Amino acid sequence: MKEWSEKLNIPLPECNKCGCCCLCASPSVPHNKLLENAANGEDFARDFFSIFVPYKNIEEAKKLYPEIIERSLKALSKTGSDTNEPVFYKCSYHSKEKGCLIYEDRPELCRDFPGLPQVIVGKQCAFYDWTIECRKKYKELKSELEVLKKMKKELDNIKYQQKAISNNYLLKRIPPEYKFLVLCPSLSLVSPVNSHY
Ligand code: SF4
Ligand code: SF4
């Protein structure tokens, strides 16, 4: 997250502790795969299940965070990578009155949220504008890169053409009896001594 901010020169905001990411989490990894990862000892998955529990169904989560759920479902339908119904989670350590009950000991995944600008965050999240600005700048830089790539290709073509013109010019200056050395360069490797045999 810090890296994105530095590379794109967009300052990182401070978390406003709205609790939205604590009560409406939807990791990009599908539920079953996440369980498998946790069983295999993967750090993220283990940390995740140490604090998060799934909502009974999408409707339950949707009542609380309709906007995030809508946007997440829309994003998922675009990728079409997982056919199972997506699962949304809430943290067992979030209190409506006191916020995070284990704030000083919260896992790394909480400290690093949202991590990437591609992550869907609620409008109440302090990082909402940050994700939009980062995505916009990334898109702009990507299209600038495409233009530069195109320009480089054109420049290479010009260089190639100039080289061809210059070779043609040199070729014209070579006496006709030696031209075969240029046209068949491998023959020029034949030693004049050997060539007498
Ligand atoms: S949703 Fe954003 S602002 Fe709210 S607690 Fe999470 S990181 Fe902080
Ligand atoms: S541990 Fe704290 S910061 Fe992390 S999700 Fe739970 S309530 Fe939020």
Side-chain angles (χ1 to χ4, degrees):
M1 192 157 70
K2 208 171 152 212
E3 215 184 344
W4 279 91
S5 255
E6 285 169 359
K7 291 214 166 119
L8 298 177
N9 198 19
I10 299 174
L12 260 186
E14 283 277 321
C15 166
N16 62 22
K17 298 183 183 171
C18 70
C20 184
C21 61
C22 312
L23 295 173
C24 190
S26 65
S28 55
V29 183
H31 184 70
N32 287 344
K33 180 69 186 156
L34 207 56
L35 282 173
E36 194 186 311
N37 291 351
N40 289 332
E42 193 219 54
D43 286 344
F44 176 87
R46 286 182 72 164
D47 281 353
F48 189 85
F49 284 116
S50 73
I51 57 170
F52 282 110
V53 288
Y55 279 99
K56 271 187 241 143
N57 49 46
I58 292 183
E59 291 314 310
E60 193 188 10
K62 214 173 183 178
K63 272 185 208 154
L64 296 164
Y65 294 100
E67 178 244 335
I68 302 180
I69 307 293
E70 283 302 337
R71 282 168 50 218
S72 302
L73 293 177
K74 204 169 160 191
L76 278 169
S77 71
K78 271 187 198 164
T79 61
S81 51
D82 184 31
T83 48
N84 295 318
E85 187 174 78
V87 180
F88 293 88
Y89 307 80
K90 59 184 169 189
C91 178
S92 334
Y93 294 98
H94 188 269
S95 145
K96 211 174 172 185
E97 295 76 32
K98 296 180 184 167
C100 179
L101 299 175
I102 53 164
Y103 194 73
E104 293 308 320
D105 300 315
R106 67 199 190 286
E108 192 54 38
L109 62 98
C110 305
R111 295 167 196 267
D112 192 43
F113 187 85
L116 302 170
Q118 292 88 344
V119 167
I120 293 172
V121 298
K123 285 187 178 161
Q124 53 275 69
C125 174
F127 292 90
Y128 182 76
D129 288 341
W130 179 83
T131 58
I132 292 178
E133 280 175 45
C134 285
R135 288 202 296 256
K136 193 172 158 232
K137 195 145 181 194
Y138 179 74
K139 215 171 157 188
E140 283 167 8
L141 287 174
K142 233 179 142 190
S143 52
E144 274 173 31
L145 184 68
E146 286 309 312
V147 172
L148 286 174
K149 271 188 192 166
K150 208 175 151 200
M151 281 166 74
K152 188 181 177 302
K153 208 173 168 190
E154 282 168 8
L155 201 65
D156 286 348
N157 279 343
I158 291 170
K159 277 187 195 160
Y160 178 78
Q161 283 169 18
Q162 278 175 340
K163 202 172 171 194
I165 292 167
S166 146
N167 283 349
N168 194 31
Y169 172 74
L170 287 173
L171 199 59
K172 279 184 186 155
R173 295 180 63 193
I174 295 172
E177 63 269 30
Y178 296 122
K179 274 189 183 168
F180 75 98
L181 287 174
V182 180
L183 297 170
C184 308
S186 60
L187 287 180
S188 64
L189 296 174
V190 177
S191 130
V193 178
N194 289 343
S195 64
H196 286 139
Y197 293 109

